[in-house]
Amino acid sequence: MIEHIELFFKSIFIDNMVFAVFLGMCSYLAVSKKVATAVGLGAAVIFVLAITVPLNWLLDQYLLQPGALVWLGPEFAEYDLSFLSFIMFIATIATMVQLVEIVVEKFSPSLYNSLGIFLPLIAVNCAILGGSLFMQSREIETLGLAVNYGISSGIGWFLAILAIAAIREKIRYSNVPAPLRGLGITFIVTGLMGIGFLSFGGMLTGGDEEVKEEPKEVVAEITEIEAEVDNQIKIVN
Amino acid sequence: MGLLSKKDAKLITDPLADNNPITIQVLGICSALAITAELKASLVMGIAVLFVLGIGNVVISLMRNIIPSKIRIIVQLIVVASLVIIVDQVLKAFAYELSKTLSVFVGLIITNCIIMGRFEAFALGNGPWKAFLDGIGNAFGYAVILLIVGFFRELLGSGTLFGIPVLGDPIEKTGLYSTGYENNGFMLMPPMALIIVGLIIWVQRSRNTTLIED
């Protein structure tokens, strides 16, 4: 249970998709002019991540990992299809996004219209593919953790785009120098928010570090070296 | 240049400044920020995007008349994903340490908006030679920004360029460090990349006032 809570808060605040690893910046910058559309896109991203990360976890676990094909028969234990990860992940994502688009169009036409082109563009949003790739490279262990990771990284991205949209709405009344207006000031403000989020880095330290074996080995080495040195001195003398 | 006509040469020079994919078209931001803590990583990423965008543009341009419009995004994704798998395997084989630094960002070239953006905006409507020039032009524009950000981050953050110490030795206190200068470790943190790109945009739009938004 504790690892679920840990992963949840870690993915939202410490490994935030926007501030720590810069995923999904293009749509983040393009859609953040109004809070209403930002909320809609953020919700869509959470939903797509929550579905695609577990699906890709299943694919990785039972198809792509080295030795994953064992369930077909013991002779398949040598196979390593991980080089196909990119294509398989992006195929799952493109399909799920198409499904989400159909569902949104049916149940909320107003949201569909306000999101416009950005809904199909979620398929190429690096945050979605990045979520699956980080799930793979960090070797998330169970399906439950994968769902957790999908939802929490989505929430992290949602927080980020919500914050920048709110700030951009207010900043229109500020006296920003002309060359910085629009894109430039957004970059700098995002950087400052990133610096702020760095303060969460101390949130989950301590408690489960392993006791290191090193001191004993180092001491043994030193006594060995001292014995050697003594030998050499005796030989020289 | 005798080899390229004026219009063709413009395809390469435009994205270097006036139509830069990162600062003007606002594409390809993700990888530009995340891996620029070292100049070597920036250079390798620039070369990778050059390869994928150059060849990808040509392939899509050659296929442009036979791709049905409804599935064109999927076809583009497959072309890019295959090229990126090649890049990834080559990197893992010849530069394993670097591939660990770049980690997932090589895979994220697939979703790099520059590539899909140029496919849609140019390759689908133009011949292979022009598409190739447009591809390498945009890749150069992207690489230029990456190298600038990487230059400042590595120089100010670790005092090295491409891994070679240029300001002296921080531990022995030679060179610039003897005056009491310390490396600004903050430059190696992700947010500084955002601020540096913001400053680049400021400089670029001050020099070319037509690019200012209202």
Side-chain angles (χ1 to χ4, degrees):
Chain A
M1 184 63 200
I2 197 81
E3 51 187 23
H4 276 277
I5 299 181
E6 202 179 47
L7 182 64
F8 188 74
F9 284 107
K10 194 160 170 248
S11 312
I12 297 182
F13 294 110
I14 304 182
D15 289 332
N16 187 288
M17 281 249 151
V18 170
F19 298 125
V21 276
F22 303 123
L23 301 180
M25 289 296 292
C26 306
S27 33
Y28 170 89
L29 291 168
V31 179
S32 53
K33 290 190 182 137
K34 296 178 81 159
V35 174
T37 31
V39 167
L41 185 63
V45 165
I46 296 180
F47 189 58
V48 174
L49 269 173
I51 300 182
T52 54
V53 170
L55 267 178
N56 284 328
W57 185 88
L58 286 170
L59 265 181
D60 188 51
Q61 192 73 358
Y62 293 112
L63 201 61
L64 295 169
Q65 258 181 16
L69 286 171
V70 161
W71 54 275
L72 269 180
E75 66 273 12
F76 287 101
E78 302 286 304
Y79 283 44
D80 175 11
L81 292 176
S82 53
F83 67 96
L84 285 178
S85 308
F86 295 153
I87 277 197
M88 304 261 13
F89 285 174
I90 202 82
T92 344
I93 291 171
T95 331
M96 291 320 299
V97 167
Q98 188 65 49
L99 269 172
V100 167
E101 204 188 323
I102 295 176
V103 165
V104 166
E105 191 179 4
K106 175 114 173 106
F107 289 109
S108 173
S110 58
L111 179 61
Y112 183 76
N113 284 326
S114 63
L115 282 178
I117 187 75
F118 291 107
L119 195 44
L121 274 186
I122 291 183
V124 291
N125 186 336
C126 12
I128 314 289
L129 185 59
S132 295
L133 289 178
F134 275 119
M135 173 274 304
Q136 192 187 39
S137 82
R138 288 182 193 158
E139 296 177 4
I140 302 247
E141 276 133 33
T142 69
L143 187 61
L145 280 175
V147 174
N148 185 337
Y149 182 67
I151 297 180
S152 51
S153 39
I155 293 180
W157 197 87
F158 172 75
L159 266 182
I161 198 175
L162 187 62
I164 193 72
I167 293 180
R168 280 184 91 172
E169 275 194 359
K170 299 259 176 182
I171 225 171
R172 298 182 72 197
Y173 302 109
S174 304
N175 207 357
V176 180
L180 266 185
R181 249 180 252 149
L183 191 65
I185 198 68
T186 309
F187 266 101
I188 297 186
V189 168
T190 311
L192 293 174
M193 286 202 286
I195 296 176
F197 266 68
L198 282 177
S199 65
F200 288 116
M203 204 158 76
L204 289 172
T205 52
D208 49 12
E209 286 173 20
E210 294 152 20
V211 176
K212 295 198 175 129
E213 288 291 305
E214 273 182 296
K216 292 192 192 133
E217 289 172 18
V218 172
V219 168
E221 265 188 59
I222 292 180
T223 38
E224 266 182 53
I225 293 174
E226 280 178 358
E228 272 286 324
V229 169
D230 285 339
N231 277 342
Q232 298 289 338
I233 293 177
K234 281 186 197 146
I235 295 172
V236 166
N237 288 348
Chain B
M1 291 166 76
L3 186 59
L4 298 168
S5 68
K6 211 147 188 271
K7 264 174 61 181
D8 288 350
K10 220 164 175 295
L11 283 174
I12 301 189
T13 56
D14 255 352
L16 279 173
D18 279 345
N19 201 15
N20 188 291
I22 295 187
T23 56
I24 308 293
Q25 299 176 47
V26 197
L27 303 171
I29 315 274
C30 318
S31 43
L33 303 171
I35 45 91
T36 44
E38 287 176 33
L39 210 48
K40 201 161 62 160
S42 312
L43 186 62
V44 168
M45 185 58 109
I47 296 177
V49 169
L50 185 67
F51 175 75
V52 174
L53 192 51
I55 299 191
N57 248 12
V58 171
V59 170
I60 295 284
S61 175
L62 287 170
M63 297 203 296
R64 71 186 186 280
N65 292 320
I66 54 175
I67 303 177
S69 176
K70 288 201 173 187
I71 57 164
R72 67 177 197 280
I73 300 264
I74 301 188
V75 171
Q76 289 167 4
L77 279 174
I78 296 180
V79 168
V80 180
S82 322
L83 288 169
V84 169
I85 290 181
I86 298 176
V87 169
D88 187 46
Q89 296 296 312
V90 164
L91 263 183
K92 280 197 184 128
F94 291 109
Y96 191 65
E97 288 302 317
L98 205 54
S99 83
K100 279 283 163 219
T101 317
L102 291 175
S103 68
V104 297
F105 288 98
V106 176
L108 286 177
I109 296 180
I110 300 177
T111 49
N112 187 329
C113 347
I114 299 184
I115 306 198
M116 299 284 284
R118 293 325 290 172
F119 283 176
E120 291 273 313
F122 204 86
L124 279 179
N126 290 279
W129 175 239
K130 281 197 171 7
F132 178 68
L133 291 178
D134 177 82
I136 56 177
N138 277 283
F140 280 141
Y142 171 82
V144 156
I145 299 290
L146 242 65
L147 287 174
I148 296 178
V149 177
F151 176 79
F152 283 111
R153 281 182 82 190
E154 196 181 352
L155 187 64
L156 296 172
S158 357
T160 62
L161 284 177
F162 284 111
I164 309 167
V166 292
L167 294 178
D169 192 325
I171 304 174
E172 310 279 324
K173 302 280 179 212
T174 61
L176 195 56
Y177 296 97
S178 55
T179 61
Y181 171 82
E182 293 286 345
N183 279 331
N184 185 350
F186 208 44
M187 278 289 177
L188 299 173
M189 308 240 79
M192 290 315 290
L194 281 162
I195 296 186
I196 294 182
V197 176
L199 294 173
I200 294 177
I201 294 178
W202 195 353
V203 167
Q204 193 178 25
R205 292 190 185 189
S206 310
R207 298 177 65 202
N208 184 346
T209 50
T210 57
L211 298 167
I212 295 180
E213 329 174 15
D214 71 314

